Amino acid sequence: MAPSLTLFFSLIFAFLSSSLQPLASSSPFNHPPRVPATAKLPWAQVRANEAQAPEYRYETRYFSQQLDHFSFLELPTFQQRYLINTEYWVGPQRLGPIFFYCGNEGDIVWFAENTGFVWEIAPQTRLKGPNFQRPIRGFALHRYYGESLPFGSREEAYKNATTLSYLTTEQALADFAVLITDLKQNLSATDCPVVLFGGSYGGMLAAWMRLKYPHIAIGALASSAPILQFEDIVPQETFYDIVSNDFKRDSSTCFNYIKESWNNISSIGQTRNGLVQLSNTFHFCRPLNKTADLWNWLEDAYGYLAMVDYPYPASFMMPLPGHPIKEVCKRIDGHPAGTSVLERIYEGVNVYYNYTGETKCFELDDDPHGLSGWSWQACTEMVMPMSCNPDSCMFSPFKFNYSDYEEGCISSYGVKPRPKWITTEFGGHKIDATLKKFGSNLIFSNGLLDPWSGGSVLQNISESVVALVTEEGAHHLDLRASTKYDPDWLVEQRATEIKLIKGWITEYHEKYNAMFDM
């Protein structure tokens, strides 16, 4: 999820959205959950196009991590990469806090540089209070992503189901717990409070870690964290309905052109030279092998546009203008009468894949953010059922078919998904009653433009389990660096988050000092 994910999706999806269904066949799931082709520019080019990105200082370190935290076999260790900044820390004597970002399904530098909120909690910001404003900042890379590769290399780590079997959320959370514990011991900071942060899949991990390891962290900010996107907790149509509504609210004609395009693609693809014609229309570097590849490419763009429909220019997934969906629909709608539907669609989707105008042709299989491990996670425990309702969805309608889903995972990995495991391990059903009894110091922040918001917590559960919901917010926008273009509601949202986090730390200090006095 990359889910992005993250996935991603992100997905992930931030993106984190690798469990989204392909739209290209009557049986919509004809291969295992995929990571969307999140970008079609080389990663170096994406970084070069980042507009005035802040420069954050940190050390890159590596921690020798257990391959399996839940057995006592003598298994190989691996080097977990993490980033750390201690320059403003007030030290253990004053119980200086540790702000820890739970890494997503991608490279940790990418997430660290797009999580300015954590960096801005420093002396030069508007924050007050010596113990609060000088934290350690740590960003830990999730196992099997980036450089945190077991078995020595990506080829070995991703070799088969046996080597991939240690890629789970449970192992990742244990990694974070062990790393934080060791870090605190080495800094003589065992009594210093830890606050967790995460967006998208990282937000899910932050929330789950607060619940599973309450002795490790005093609270968590989980932004755009779809912890309820499992089993039958939320309607399966939720994700695609939100994506569709994001486009429809800007232009109903744009929505209708996109809705019409899927049949056009199928009809042309079935003609003798149809795949060549489609390849030329959409400027692919190589001819299409099947229409499904084009459908997935377009689906990725629309899903990510909904996720990153930020009010100002940003380059989180791709270099994009402010309000990118509005720009897409402007291009789709703006052509003169007689322009074909697919020519309109190409001009619109070009906003996502080539806003800078530097790309001459598009590749279908780029993964510059390193999100591909999400396919394994979606085939094991991160099963997020999704459907597309013909009445409300701008995509070609389909229903989630678990038998097809399972068949695809067996074919690709030789494993069967466990769709009920996440809710067994972390909960989800009747989440309000559960968190009211057992949860505390949790912030679930969501913007309703973000399609993943439909799978998150959108109502306050208690005084200390709080939902911050904004009408115009997109995918973990609150975690991004502040800019002069921030709307008032975003400034107010961050101020509320800061107030709550500061309250957690103040309360911790008060209780600690009371215990010390006793």
Side-chain angles (χ1 to χ4, degrees):
M1 169 178 47
S4 47
L5 311 76
T6 74
L7 22 130
F8 168 65
F9 230 20
S10 259
L11 55 146
I12 242 205
F13 121 337
F15 76 171
L16 352 355
S17 55
S18 60
S19 57
L20 307 187
Q21 307 313 307
L23 305 174
S25 67
S26 58
S27 175
F29 190 68
N30 55 9
H31 55 72
R34 62 190 174 79
V35 172
T38 55
K40 306 304 169 193
L41 290 174
W43 177 233
Q45 188 172 347
V46 175
R47 295 294 306 129
N49 289 323
E50 190 79 35
Q52 301 296 318
E55 292 186 5
Y56 302 122
R57 294 190 295 271
Y58 51 79
E59 296 178 54
T60 300
R61 298 182 185 176
Y62 295 86
F63 179 74
S64 184
Q65 194 65 261
Q66 293 286 335
L67 178 62
D68 184 1
H69 294 284
F70 307 109
S71 76
F72 295 89
L73 297 174
E74 289 294 328
L75 297 173
T77 59
F78 70 95
Q79 296 300 300
Q80 182 179 19
R81 186 186 187 196
Y82 68 100
L83 315 178
I84 188 169
N85 175 296
T86 61
E87 63 182 321
Y88 295 123
W89 191 43
V90 296
Q93 294 81 11
R94 293 168 65 181
L95 299 182
I98 298 171
F99 291 172
F100 185 89
Y101 185 93
C102 299
N104 299 54
E105 70 284 25
D107 185 74
I108 194 60
V109 173
W110 176 38
F111 288 103
E113 293 183 354
N114 281 278
T115 312
F117 179 79
V118 174
W119 295 101
E120 291 173 356
I121 302 179
Q124 64 267 32
T125 70
R126 60 189 178 280
L127 303 178
K128 303 296 182 183
N131 292 324
F132 175 62
Q133 67 181 5
R134 298 176 180 269
I136 288 176
R137 300 169 190 80
F139 294 77
L141 183 55
H142 192 297
R143 58 169 53 203
Y144 284 81
Y145 293 101
E147 296 180 21
S148 293
L149 290 169
F151 304 105
S153 70
R154 178 178 178 79
E155 289 70 26
E156 287 298 314
Y158 283 73
K159 189 174 182 179
N160 52 44
T162 299
T163 57
L164 278 167
S165 64
Y166 304 101
L167 173 51
T168 68
T169 55
E170 296 83 1
Q171 298 282 8
L173 291 180
D175 287 343
F176 298 155
V178 170
L179 174 58
I180 291 171
T181 300
D182 185 84
L183 184 64
K184 291 175 74 174
Q185 289 174 346
N186 287 336
L187 294 170
S188 300
T190 55
D191 293 327
C192 292
V194 176
V195 178
L196 305 171
F197 297 82
S200 196
Y201 174 48
M204 300 166 78
L205 294 175
W208 288 337
M209 187 168 179
R210 167 60 185 158
L211 297 173
K212 283 289 185 180
Y213 295 93
H215 58 290
I216 296 290
I218 66 167
L221 168 54
S223 181
S224 299
I227 63 168
L228 306 180
Q229 193 78 45
F230 298 95
E231 291 187 74
D232 56 353
I233 301 176
V234 298
Q236 294 183 0
E237 299 83 8
T238 300
F239 183 96
Y240 280 105
D241 278 355
I242 295 176
V243 174
S244 301
N245 288 336
D246 286 353
F247 281 82
K248 196 170 188 177
R249 79 175 195 138
D250 274 323
S251 167
S252 59
T253 55
C254 174
F255 170 93
N256 289 330
Y257 278 128
I258 294 172
K259 193 174 181 68
E260 184 181 348
S261 68
W262 309 111
N263 285 335
N264 289 12
I265 291 170
S266 292
S267 298
I268 294 173
Q270 292 172 8
T271 62
R272 182 176 180 181
N273 294 314
L275 292 177
V276 173
Q277 180 182 340
L278 292 172
S279 301
N280 293 335
T281 299
F282 288 91
H283 295 248
F284 291 122
C285 301
R286 284 178 283 276
L288 288 164
N289 293 320
K290 53 186 181 298
T291 55
D293 292 340
L294 174 56
W295 285 43
N296 293 340
W297 188 74
L298 292 171
E299 175 199 326
D300 291 341
Y302 300 140
Y304 280 127
L305 282 162
M307 288 168 60
V308 298
D309 196 17
Y310 299 142
Y312 52 76
S315 298
F316 177 48
M317 297 307 301
M318 298 289 279
L320 292 171
H323 303 289
I325 288 181
K326 188 178 295 294
E327 181 65 24
V328 169
C329 286
K330 180 180 177 182
R331 295 195 185 188
I332 289 176
D333 293 343
H335 284 273
T339 304
S340 74
V341 171
L342 295 190
E343 286 175 316
R344 293 176 184 271
I345 295 301
Y346 168 73
E347 289 300 326
V349 81
N350 226 23
V351 171
Y352 180 75
Y353 285 121
N354 193 23
Y355 186 66
T356 63
E358 298 175 11
T359 300
K360 304 306 179 185
C361 65
F362 300 111
E363 298 285 357
L364 286 168
D365 55 357
D366 288 351
D367 179 22
H369 304 308
L371 306 177
S372 59
W374 188 257
S375 292
W376 165 264
Q377 291 189 257
C379 261
T380 50
E381 58 184 4
M382 300 297 287
V383 180
M384 299 180 174
M386 294 183 182
S387 297
C388 178
N389 188 315
D391 297 327
S392 56
C393 181
M394 72 181 189
F395 301 92
S396 186
F398 64 86
K399 291 186 177 181
F400 180 78
N401 186 312
Y402 178 74
S403 296
D404 289 344
Y405 192 101
E406 181 183 85
E407 182 180 337
C409 292
I410 293 172
S411 175
S412 289
Y413 296 110
V415 297
K416 289 184 179 182
R418 296 181 184 175
K420 297 181 183 294
W421 175 243
I422 284 293
T423 55
T424 301
E425 176 73 1
F426 300 114
H429 295 282
K430 299 180 180 179
I431 193 73
D432 52 344
T434 302
L435 292 186
K436 188 174 291 185
K437 289 183 179 180
F438 303 109
S440 65
N441 293 3
L442 274 169
I443 302 170
F444 292 98
S445 63
N446 285 278
L448 296 183
L449 296 183
D450 178 15
W452 291 111
S453 66
S456 187
V457 177
L458 300 178
Q459 293 183 334
N460 291 345
I461 291 176
S462 68
E463 289 186 2
S464 63
V465 179
V466 178
L468 301 179
V469 181
T470 57
E471 292 284 341
E472 297 295 316
H475 203 50
H476 49 71
L477 175 60
D478 55 320
L479 291 185
R480 294 183 58 78
S482 60
T483 76
K484 62 182 180 181
Y485 305 107
D486 291 344
D488 290 343
W489 58 261
L490 179 57
V491 175
E492 293 171 3
Q493 178 185 3
R494 290 190 180 122
T496 300
E497 292 170 351
I498 290 168
K499 181 179 179 180
L500 290 169
I501 294 169
K502 188 173 182 179
W504 301 342
I505 295 171
T506 300
E507 181 183 19
Y508 176 85
H509 287 163
E510 290 173 350
K511 290 182 177 180
Y512 180 88
N513 291 333
M515 291 177 61
F516 185 79
D517 291 341
M518 289 175 62

